[in-house]
Amino acid sequence: MTDKKLVLLVEDNELNRDMMTRRLKRAGLEIVTAGNGQQALNIMRADQPDVVLMDMNLPILDGWTASRQAKADDSICHLPIIALTAHAMESDRQDALEAGCDDFATKPVDFPGLLIKIEKLTSA
C-alpha cells in the first residue's frame, strides 16, 4: 500500500496545468487533472482524491459552483478543496470559503506554501 497522496488539479490553462503537475509530482504527489468544474466533480466522485486544487475561473462549470456542488454531495463533501485564484482580495478568500473551499491560495502560486496547505488538509 502506498502513502502517496492523490491530488486532483483542476485548471483549464494547459500551461499552468502542466507546470503545476510537474511540480506536484516532484513533491511526491500523485496527480489527476481536470479542465473544468464538471470534469472535476466526475473525477472527485470516481477517484476520491485526498485533496482538490480548484481553479475558480473555469469553463463549463466554474470553481465556485463546482465547490458548492461538491460540498452538497454526500459522496464527496468530505474532500478538502483548496481554491486557486488570481483574485487576491480578502473578499475573494471569503467567497471561496463560503463556496465550501477549505483553504485558499492565490496565483501565482506560492508553491512551498501550497505544499504546507496540502499536508495540513491531508494529514488528519
Side-chain angles (χ1 to χ4, degrees):
M1 181 169 179
T2 179
D3 59 356
K4 192 179 263 196
K5 293 179 178 87
L6 178 61
V7 176
L8 169 56
L9 172 62
V10 189
E11 170 63 68
D12 63 318
N13 180 293
E14 189 175 341
L15 291 174
N16 289 346
R17 187 171 57 238
D18 290 347
M19 182 272 303
M20 286 289 292
T21 297
R22 284 194 307 275
R23 293 189 76 185
L24 291 165
K25 283 183 176 179
R26 277 198 304 270
L29 300 165
E30 187 177 340
I31 310 303
V32 62
T33 63
N36 65 62
Q38 187 58 57
Q39 287 177 344
L41 288 170
N42 295 342
I43 292 169
M44 290 166 78
R45 289 181 186 111
D47 294 351
Q48 297 284 314
D50 295 298
V51 67
V52 178
L53 303 179
M54 180 78 74
D55 183 19
M56 301 315 277
N57 296 314
L58 296 166
I60 301 172
L61 186 67
D62 65 43
W64 311 101
T65 305
S67 296
R68 280 187 199 93
Q69 289 184 13
K71 293 303 180 173
D73 182 329
D74 288 342
S75 70
I76 56 176
C77 64
H78 62 283
L79 300 177
I81 301 172
I82 299 174
L84 298 179
T85 181
H87 303 285
M89 303 292 289
E90 178 58 30
S91 61
D92 297 309
R93 180 183 183 282
Q94 200 57 41
D95 288 346
L97 296 175
E98 287 173 9
C101 295
D102 299 276
D103 209 333
F104 180 87
T106 57
K107 293 179 179 181
V109 174
D110 165 21
F111 200 72
L114 180 62
L115 292 177
I116 290 168
K117 290 175 191 237
I118 290 170
E119 182 61 30
K120 182 180 85 172
L121 287 170
T122 60
S123 62

